[in-house]
Amino acid sequence: MARKIKVNTSDAIGSMVSKVNQMSNYLGDLDDLDSSFKISQYVDSPDVGHYDDSSFVKAINHLNYELDSMNSYLTSGTATIRVGGIIGDSATFTRLTVGELIVDSATIDSATVGLLRGASLRYDSATFDSARITNLSGININYDSADFSIIKSTAIFGDSARITNISGTGDFNFANGHIANLHADSAGIVNASIDNFDANIANISNILSMDGVDMTDVHQFTIRDSTGVILLGGYLMSTDSALSIP
């Protein structure tokens, strides 16, 4: 049944009073408005000088003013909007500038980030088709496959890796490693197991071990004729500085 109330001139006094009270109940009590209506006086509302809870017209204009202001902030304004949280099933943001962004989960089809800064960037898993990162630092980086132009790090630990070129001025330390080809201007190697070794110059300062024999010294060896002319000259490798010990 329609709740529209119509007062007729032929209505009895009791019926008229009942209808007026019913209309009053439909409108509600102005004192029940939010406290913000009691302290606001928007100049574009009627009855300038009265608070926005003085009439229902002023209360409605109060809401309209708030909505207009919010629309201006969201679409073209420069004011700052602070909210405790935004929850949405779906949303499209053209530009989002935040001091801190905390999300439980996020799915991003595509994004262009001009500058990304933060105290920490933590994620359980991430998939990037392509990315250009000027500086990347962290405790651990785990990846199945990746292409890096330049890697700068205090330490690099890897179960397995394929590195096309590696260069640096610091220390290159490996507990265990397999290197198919190693080209170096200079290198200090403590222990190495090598199938093939080609070198223009190899400087060995202490011990050269071959088949379990440690060669520590080199002695000159010559064969001369009766006149002292060298017929055969060379060097012998020995395990001791004494000539009597092979």
Side-chain angles (χ1 to χ4, degrees):
M1 183 177 65
R3 291 187 292 177
K4 181 179 180 180
I5 298 175
K6 182 177 181 180
V7 180
N8 300 308
T9 56
S10 60
D11 289 339
I13 296 298
S15 176
M16 181 180 297
V17 171
S18 177
K19 291 181 178 181
V20 171
N21 288 336
Q22 186 64 39
M23 285 190 292
S24 177
N25 290 333
Y26 286 167
L27 291 175
D29 191 348
L30 290 172
D31 290 336
D32 291 337
L33 289 170
D34 185 80
S35 59
S36 62
F37 290 82
K38 296 177 174 61
I39 60 175
S40 301
Q41 294 184 32
Y42 293 135
V43 296
D44 55 352
S45 297
D47 301 327
V48 175
H50 294 82
Y51 288 107
D52 290 344
D53 67 342
S54 62
S55 70
F56 287 103
V57 174
K58 284 183 66 65
I60 293 173
N61 285 339
H62 174 100
L63 295 177
N64 181 70
Y65 185 91
E66 293 283 5
L67 292 175
D68 283 346
S69 299
M70 182 177 295
N71 178 69
S72 177
Y73 293 161
L74 293 175
T75 58
S76 60
T78 59
T80 301
I81 299 178
R82 292 181 173 88
V83 295
I86 298 176
I87 301 175
D89 292 334
S90 62
T92 301
F93 295 96
T94 303
R95 181 178 180 182
L96 180 63
T97 302
V98 295
E100 183 178 10
L101 179 62
I102 302 174
V103 294
D104 293 332
S105 63
T107 302
I108 302 174
D109 291 334
S110 62
T112 301
V113 181
L115 181 62
L116 179 63
R117 294 177 178 174
S120 62
L121 177 63
R122 299 181 180 180
Y123 48 85
D124 293 332
S125 62
T127 302
F128 297 96
D129 290 335
S130 62
R132 178 180 294 275
I133 303 173
T134 302
N135 294 295
L136 177 64
S137 62
I139 298 175
N140 296 297
I141 300 177
N142 299 318
Y143 50 86
D144 292 333
S145 62
D147 294 325
F148 295 97
S149 297
I150 298 174
I151 297 180
K152 296 180 180 180
S153 175
T154 303
I156 299 176
F157 302 93
D159 292 334
S160 62
R162 183 181 188 88
I163 303 173
T164 303
N165 294 292
I166 187 169
S167 62
T169 58
D171 296 330
F172 184 60
N173 299 320
F174 273 96
N176 296 286
H178 175 76
I179 302 174
N181 294 289
L182 175 64
H183 300 278
D185 294 334
S186 61
I189 302 174
V190 178
N191 295 293
S193 177
I194 303 173
D195 293 333
N196 296 294
F197 179 71
D198 295 326
N200 294 327
I201 299 175
N203 296 318
I204 302 173
S205 59
N206 293 318
I207 299 173
L208 175 62
S209 180
M210 294 185 297
D211 293 334
V213 180
D214 295 335
M215 302 296 179
T216 60
D217 292 86
V218 178
H219 304 288
Q220 187 178 22
F221 174 80
T222 58
I223 296 177
R224 303 172 184 265
D225 61 10
S226 59
T227 62
V229 177
I230 297 176
L231 301 177
L232 178 63
Y235 291 89
L236 293 177
M237 300 184 68
S238 175
T239 61
D240 196 89
S241 60
L243 295 177
S244 59
I245 300 177

